[in-house]
Structure formats: structure tokens, C-alpha cells
Amino acid sequence: MSIHPNITALTALLAEKSRATILAALMDGKFHTASELAYMATIKPQTASFHLAKLVENNLVISEKNGRFRYFRIANDKVANTLEIFMSISPPPEVRSLKQSSQLKRLENARTCYDHLAGRLSVKLTNIMEEEGYIEKSNKRFIITTKGEHFFKELGIDVIALSKKRRSFCHACLDWSERTHHLGGALGNGLFERYLELGWIESRENSREITITTVGKSGFRDFFGLEHDLLDKTK
Amino acid sequence: MSIHPNITALTALLAEKSRATILAALMDGKFHTASELAYMATIKPQTASFHLAKLVENNLVISEKNGRFRYFRIANDKVANTLEIFMSISPPPEVRSLKQSSQLKRLENARTCYDHLAGRLSVKLTNIMEEEGYIEKSNKRFIITTKGEHFFKELGIDVIALSKKRRSFCHACLDWSERTHHLGGALGNGLFERYLELGWIESRENSREITITTVGKSGFRDFFGLEHDLLDKTK
DNA sequence: TATATCATACGATACTTATCGAAGTATGGA
DNA sequence: TCCATACTTCGATAAGTATCGTATGATATA
């Protein structure tokens, strides 16, 4: 007898090309309409609807109705995290073009994980925050120090408002390209939104790719002491 | 377009009950015959053969012929590690009996991960070795210190012989019940074999479960300073 | 009110694949 | 040499399911 025979329940959902494509598309953390997802997976809307119903039924995806549109999104950060794991485990696609290769590199450098930053940039920033004593790792989460409270306030983040949100506040999220932790949860999301607001990073349409702007380079250097050269070098 | 659409290749193999059962059975790191696996998955030998061929074809499993028997085993520690992840992600089975519940607890306490120790015991030992300065974590692996070389020699482990094996020597293996790292690779395997040899632990037939003997309790206390009480308490 | 758009429901179809019986191959022992 | 055992190959079958055409319901716009 096996120990965890339930593997099939989850994997069966991912073992289908169309569903996998839909989920991968949703991994940018944004809402998408059914037609949009159908187009991305190159299937008819009925088929997408069929798959989305299954994903909703199994609590991987939630939907929100708005007028005649229905918007779909990954259900929660736990699901997003699990999908990140699956993606990192699965063999990377054969690199056919130079374009694809550099796209992969950029993804490893900085990408979204559901609703916060992931990749090399995210891990670096998290490490710096830990070294500087803004946050401390405790068990499987981070806690904010008083020094950290000042830092986040200066950055323009309302820590108190964030902590009131009904979700894990300061979650240590496993980063799968870097094989270590980065900051997730409400604070991770708050930081991500703030970077966008400040124009430090830019999120591209229909992609999880994140680009660091010139303003961002200065910002991350001034606030975090992050030398941007570090990011370009692999390991 | 998705980034890693190859998820399907792996998940499709795991999405099938019989194959999942076979793989789970093989996760004890030992060789098993085709008939044995067929029996465990409650399918006919032909069907098992069919599945095993697929698993071999996709490099998840390797086979070795010995007389009229054919022995199957997980291909390598990377595959084993990946399967560990899948198992930890998938929802645990509903606990129906007291027996099953205590079995689960014992598995979380100490089990095999392919060919080395995993679970609470393994993580504790790894932490101690790191704190005592026998090993140091560097990037995604461990390195042995000179102090550590003495320690392992005293334990009766030939570090030099192990380092000559053509496999990752001192791999930091992610532990999925504990959500942190434990020691894998050739050294992890060497330690595991040595514990068995010393009679500190016992491996049960057809199970990944590991039990710590009375001799083992003293051994782990004397050599590692591990108080066995620590293991019984959850977190 | 009429019409176009978005999404879902239903039914038919075609494709995939897990399963097993029957037959075939390889090996070891009597 | 003969037979039992272990495993694989082949072919047939049955079950599951992804897909799409058609139709229906809901909503926005004109």
C-alpha cells in the first residue's frame, strides 16, 4: 500500500495541455476572462469553460462575475505556490531561439509569483532585509522588527493596514528558481504594489516577466543598497 | 504563451492510480520485481509491465535483469526528490484508523527518501552537524569541514571512498514534511547505511518507515547529543 | 426593443489509454 | 528434455474525456 495515493487528484488536473496552459497564464496573478484564456490555449470558448469549471470545482481557481464577463484567477497563494513548484520541477522547454533563451533568463531574474515578486531580485531583497534586521525568519514565516517598521514606513508602506488583511501577513515563500525563500503574503504583495507605484518595476502584458526600470535601479540601490550588477551575474 | 508547458509530461505519468502506487512503493529506495509491484497495485503482471515500460522510457525508473527476474528501482535521487515533493503537496489521506494515524506520525518522524534518511530525525541530525561545524551549507549543497572529517571517521565512514562515487556527494535535499533541508547524496546514503550497520535504525519490509532502536537512541545521543525526547514532541 | 457579445449547457464524436486474455520468450530447476 | 516461473508482446475491449457544433441564457449597447 502506498502512503499518499492522492497524488492523482492534483496531477490529473495538470496532466492536460489546455488546463496547464490556462493555469500557467493565470500565474501572473491577474484576472483573465474565459475567452482570453481560450485564445491563449488555442481552444474554443466552450472547451475553456469546461476546463475552468473543473478548476473551480477543485478549488484551484476562483471566478468573479462582472457584467457579462467572468473573470478567473488563481484561488489563493497556496495554490500559486504549489504551481510554482510544479513548474520548476518540470523540465524546462528546449531552447529553440536566442529570444526564448533570454526570456528565460529574465524570468529567472525577476517575475511575479501570484501577487508578489519572485526570482533572483526577490531573493536578494529578502536577504538584504533579513541582514539589515528589518525582518527575522521564525519557523516558516518572517516577522517585522521595530527597525523594519520604520523602513517600510519610509518606503511608503502602511504595515498596519496590511496586517489587517485576512491572509498570511509575512509568509516565507519558497522560490523555485533560486531554491530558497523569498517574502510572500500580504507584505510581499504590498511591496510589489509599491514598487510598481514608484515605477521601480514594470509588469508586462500577458507575461509574468518583470523589468527593472532605471528609476528602479537607483531606488533599489538607495533603499536596499542593492548593486544592480549583482543581478546580471549568474550566481 | 506559457513558460513551462512541459508540466504535462511529468504529471501525466503520475496522474494514474496504478503508476502512482508503483512509484510510491519504489520510494523505499529498494529494488522490486515486476510481479511484486503488480500485486501491490492490484493489477495483472501485464499491466504492471506496461506501466513500468512507460516509467523506464521516461527515465523515472531503471531496471536490472537478474536471472529470470527483473528488478526495478527509482532511477536516481533527483527523481526520488521530485516524487517526495509531489507526495508532500498532495493532500494526506483521510485518517480512518488509529493505526493509520500513528503510522503517519512515524513516517513524519523518520523515513527513507530514496537511499538516505528523511523526516524529523534526518533534519535534526543535519542541523546538529551544521551547528557543530561538521558541515557547512554553501549555495545548494553542504561541504565537509576538517572537523567534520574527524567526526565521520570516528563514526566509521570512509569519506574519501564516498567522494569518489559518481554522484552528488553532499547534496542538500529538501525535506517535505519538515519544509527545510536534510543531508542527501553519497554522504547521506553513507550515513544511512552506517546507521543500519550499527543497528541504530531498522528498516521495515515494504515500507519507508524507519524505527530507531534502543541502541540507536544511545548512539544518536552519544555521537550527536540528540535527546530522543525531542523527536517525540511535535514542533 | 433589437442586436451583438460573453459565457455556459448539452449532445455527438473521436481520441486516448488502462486493462486483461492469450500467446510468446527467457531462465532455472528437476 | 520437460516443465514451472517471470516477464513481455500483441490484440481486443471498455472506459474516460477533450473537443466542438449547436443552442440557450445573460448582459451591454445602439
Side-chain angles (χ1 to χ4, degrees):
Chain A
M1 283 303 110
S2 64
I3 311 302
H4 284 193
N6 304 31
I7 323 178
T8 52
L10 228 188
T11 48
L13 283 169
L14 302 178
E16 213 280 327
K17 200 183 154 195
S18 303
R19 271 196 299 268
T21 309
I22 287 174
L23 285 170
L26 289 174
M27 274 301 284
D28 61 2
K30 300 173 194 159
F31 277 105
H32 294 270
T33 66
S35 318
E36 194 186 341
L37 294 167
Y39 177 78
M40 290 195 207
T42 58
I43 48 177
K44 298 289 168 198
Q46 312 93 296
T47 313
S49 194
F50 164 76
H51 288 305
L52 285 165
K54 277 203 167 182
L55 294 174
V56 168
E57 190 188 347
N58 286 81
N59 303 314
L60 294 187
V61 164
I62 51 169
S63 73
E64 201 169 280
K65 211 179 169 188
N66 194 323
R68 57 181 162 179
F69 295 94
R70 170 156 274 167
Y71 292 97
F72 293 90
R73 204 184 59 181
I74 301 287
N76 53 56
D77 46 3
K78 196 184 166 191
V79 172
N81 203 205
T82 305
L83 290 176
E84 268 270 317
I85 299 175
F86 276 77
M87 291 190 178
S88 69
I89 287 174
S90 54
E94 302 103 59
V95 176
R96 288 194 214 94
S97 62
L98 189 64
K99 188 187 163 195
Q100 201 181 5
S101 150
S102 58
Q103 192 199 6
L104 262 176
K105 271 187 195 161
R106 285 197 302 273
L107 270 173
E108 281 168 12
N109 228 14
R111 67 175 179 277
T112 52
C113 168
Y114 184 49
D115 64 357
H116 56 267
L117 268 184
R120 205 167 293 137
L121 173 64
S122 182
V123 168
K124 289 264 179 205
L125 292 176
T126 306
N127 284 346
I128 289 171
M129 287 188 274
E130 210 177 343
E131 281 163 21
E132 293 290 329
Y134 304 149
I135 55 175
E136 279 171 11
K137 201 189 273 180
S138 157
N139 211 2
K140 287 148 203 173
R141 57 177 45 164
F142 292 106
I143 45 174
I144 301 188
T145 62
T146 41
K147 193 178 171 191
E149 278 174 30
H150 279 99
F151 174 74
F152 291 119
K153 196 175 178 184
E154 207 167 324
L155 241 173
I157 288 176
D158 189 348
V159 173
I160 295 159
L162 286 178
S163 66
K164 278 177 187 157
K165 289 196 178 180
R166 199 187 292 170
R167 60 180 287 194
S168 135
F169 171 55
C170 205
H171 180 243
C173 181
L174 276 169
D175 192 290
W176 288 97
S177 51
E178 294 296 298
R179 292 239 152 198
T180 178
H181 294 272
H182 65 240
L183 188 58
L187 184 59
N189 176 234
L191 282 166
F192 176 64
E193 303 274 2
R194 185 65 182 146
Y195 298 150
L196 278 174
E197 215 173 77
L198 291 166
W200 290 9
I201 57 173
E202 273 168 6
S203 143
R204 296 180 57 174
E205 194 74 29
N206 282 335
S207 163
R208 300 175 58 200
E209 203 179 309
I210 291 291
T211 48
I212 308 168
T213 63
T214 330
V215 189
K217 285 183 191 177
S218 325
F220 287 124
R221 190 182 53 233
D222 297 345
F223 268 82
F224 289 89
L226 177 78
E227 288 305 322
H228 189 257
D229 310 348
L230 285 176
L231 282 178
D232 296 332
K233 285 175 196 158
T234 320
K235 282 161 210 171
Chain B
M1 283 303 107
S2 64
I3 311 304
H4 283 194
N6 304 31
I7 323 177
T8 52
L10 229 188
T11 48
L13 284 169
L14 303 179
E16 213 282 325
K17 200 185 156 193
S18 303
R19 272 196 300 268
T21 310
I22 288 175
L23 285 170
L26 289 173
M27 273 301 284
D28 62 0
K30 299 172 193 160
F31 278 104
H32 294 270
T33 66
S35 318
E36 195 185 341
L37 294 167
Y39 177 78
M40 290 197 207
T42 57
I43 48 178
K44 299 286 168 202
Q46 310 95 292
T47 312
S49 193
F50 164 76
H51 288 305
L52 286 165
K54 279 201 166 184
L55 293 175
V56 169
E57 191 188 345
N58 286 81
N59 303 313
L60 293 188
V61 164
I62 51 170
S63 74
E64 201 170 277
K65 212 179 171 187
N66 194 323
R68 57 181 160 176
F69 295 93
R70 170 157 273 165
Y71 292 97
F72 294 90
R73 202 185 59 180
I74 300 287
N76 54 56
D77 46 3
K78 195 185 165 189
V79 172
N81 202 205
T82 304
L83 291 176
E84 268 269 317
I85 299 175
F86 276 77
M87 291 190 177
S88 70
I89 288 176
S90 54
E94 302 103 60
V95 176
R96 287 193 216 92
S97 62
L98 189 65
K99 189 187 163 195
Q100 202 182 3
S101 149
S102 59
Q103 191 198 6
L104 261 177
K105 271 188 196 161
R106 286 198 302 274
L107 270 174
E108 281 167 12
N109 227 14
R111 65 176 181 276
T112 52
C113 168
Y114 183 50
D115 64 357
H116 56 268
L117 268 184
R120 205 165 294 139
L121 174 64
S122 181
V123 168
K124 290 262 180 209
L125 293 176
T126 307
N127 284 345
I128 289 171
M129 288 190 273
E130 209 178 343
E131 280 162 22
E132 293 290 330
Y134 303 150
I135 56 176
E136 280 171 10
K137 200 188 272 180
S138 155
N139 210 2
K140 289 149 203 175
R141 55 177 46 165
F142 292 106
I143 45 175
I144 301 188
T145 63
T146 40
K147 193 178 172 191
E149 278 174 30
H150 278 100
F151 173 75
F152 291 119
K153 196 176 178 183
E154 207 166 322
L155 239 173
I157 289 177
D158 189 348
V159 173
I160 295 158
L162 285 179
S163 66
K164 276 176 187 155
K165 287 196 178 180
R166 199 187 293 174
R167 61 179 288 195
S168 136
F169 170 56
C170 205
H171 181 240
C173 182
L174 277 169
D175 192 290
W176 289 97
S177 50
E178 294 297 298
R179 292 240 152 197
T180 179
H181 293 272
H182 64 240
L183 189 59
L187 183 59
N189 176 235
L191 281 166
F192 176 66
E193 302 274 1
R194 185 63 182 146
Y195 299 149
L196 278 172
E197 214 173 77
L198 292 165
W200 289 9
I201 57 174
E202 273 168 5
S203 140
R204 298 180 57 172
E205 193 77 28
N206 280 337
S207 164
R208 300 175 58 199
E209 203 179 310
I210 293 291
T211 48
I212 307 168
T213 63
T214 330
V215 189
K217 284 183 193 179
S218 324
F220 286 124
R221 190 182 53 232
D222 297 346
F223 268 82
F224 289 88
L226 177 77
E227 289 304 323
H228 189 259
D229 310 348
L230 285 175
L231 282 178
D232 295 332
K233 287 176 197 158
T234 319
K235 282 161 207 169

